[in-house]
Amino acid sequence: MTDEPGRDRDAAEKISVQHGMFGVSGTGDTSGYGRLVAPIALPNSTSRPYGGYFDAVVDALIEGLHAAGVAADRAVEQVVVFRDQLTLHIAAEQLPLVARTLRDRDDLRFELCHGVSGVHYPDDTGRELHAVYPLQSLTWGRRVTLEVSVPDANRHVPSLYGIYPTTDWHEREAYDFFGLIFDGHPALTRIQMPDDWVGHPQRKDYPLGGIPVEYKGAQIPAPDERRAYR
């Protein structure tokens, strides 16, 4: 787990520069902000003390991981406190253990997961795709966010459906729109786009309309031929 003393709490890692409102090149940007130039930066690690209840949450999680025989630095890659929010960057293979620990320990009790959101940073080499999970403890009135980063070449993230069933349709949405593959999900299919759609529309490098129009010739199968889930 990265914990670098003296690191500025609000420091950021610059990963790219955005040109134009939507990053469009050539045609398609009708926003009037074509000359906008803005850096894309991610917050860096935060050094202790994190403040508020954040230290207690991290300490309890580390204790739970040690009890499970896993060293903290194998599971928690980074601790970030940014704008009064605690985000734990988690190694993908340890995500289920971390989530279960946060849910089940009496001094943590993060019973509720508000779903998962996909994020795409095409210039963040080796960690282009992120999965973000906001968790809430109804018992203690606390919040924490888990974030997992995977390369576009290996888009696999363990499903949390068995731990937090509320992630069911959210994982399908992140799969549909970002291409994240949630291993262990009971029915990982597209949620809005047709099954044969090429690409993932919410990625930053996805074409913004124009010609040809891809969504044509769609057919609705008969009721007895549609997908069924059990």
Side-chain angles (χ1 to χ4, degrees):
M1 177 168 41
T2 304
D3 189 15
E4 301 180 45
R7 180 69 66 87
D8 182 359
R9 183 177 295 266
D10 295 319
E13 174 191 1
K14 181 178 176 181
I15 61 172
S16 184
V17 176
Q18 175 178 313
H19 296 271
M21 176 64 83
F22 302 106
V24 179
S25 59
T27 61
D29 186 352
T30 60
S31 66
Y33 289 89
R35 296 183 181 180
L36 179 68
V37 178
I40 299 175
L42 301 178
N44 268 319
S45 299
T46 303
S47 57
R48 287 180 182 267
Y50 304 130
Y53 59 79
F54 297 162
D55 292 271
V57 168
V58 173
D59 290 341
L61 174 60
I62 292 174
E63 183 178 324
L65 293 174
H66 285 165
V70 175
D73 57 3
R74 283 184 51 205
V76 183
E77 298 175 337
Q78 195 176 22
V79 177
V80 175
V81 176
F82 184 70
R83 295 179 179 173
D84 296 324
Q85 297 185 28
L86 172 64
T87 300
L88 306 177
H89 291 254
I90 307 300
E93 64 276 9
Q94 301 296 340
L95 176 62
L97 173 61
V98 170
R100 192 175 293 108
T101 303
L102 288 169
R103 185 194 66 179
D104 293 347
R105 275 185 65 100
D106 290 338
D107 50 356
L108 292 171
R109 299 296 297 164
F110 285 91
E111 308 99 330
L112 177 61
C113 177
H114 290 280
V116 55
S117 299
V119 188
H120 183 213
Y121 296 105
D123 297 316
D124 194 11
T125 305
R127 51 181 189 176
E128 293 89 354
L129 292 169
H130 294 219
V132 181
Y133 304 81
L135 306 183
Q136 182 176 357
S137 170
L138 304 178
T139 300
W140 300 109
R142 296 173 172 178
R143 294 177 182 267
V144 64
T145 299
L146 304 183
E147 187 164 341
V148 174
S149 308
V150 293
D152 196 9
N154 183 18
R155 299 173 282 132
H156 292 265
V157 177
S159 172
L160 291 188
Y161 172 79
I163 301 171
Y164 293 113
T166 50
T167 61
D168 184 1
W169 287 59
H170 296 265
E171 289 183 350
R172 287 183 58 193
E173 184 177 55
Y175 165 72
D176 191 357
F177 290 148
F178 292 91
L180 285 160
I181 300 171
F182 294 92
D183 296 327
H185 190 283
L188 192 64
T189 56
R190 288 192 182 268
I191 194 170
Q192 293 195 26
M193 310 306 293
D195 288 342
D196 58 353
W197 191 267
V198 178
H200 305 283
Q202 287 191 351
R203 289 196 181 201
K204 298 292 178 60
D205 53 4
Y206 190 81
L208 294 178
I211 299 176
V213 177
E214 298 179 55
Y215 196 31
K216 58 184 178 180
Q219 296 181 353
I220 300 176
D224 60 344
E225 297 176 359
R226 297 174 190 172
R227 294 191 303 246
Y229 306 107
R230 295 177 175 84

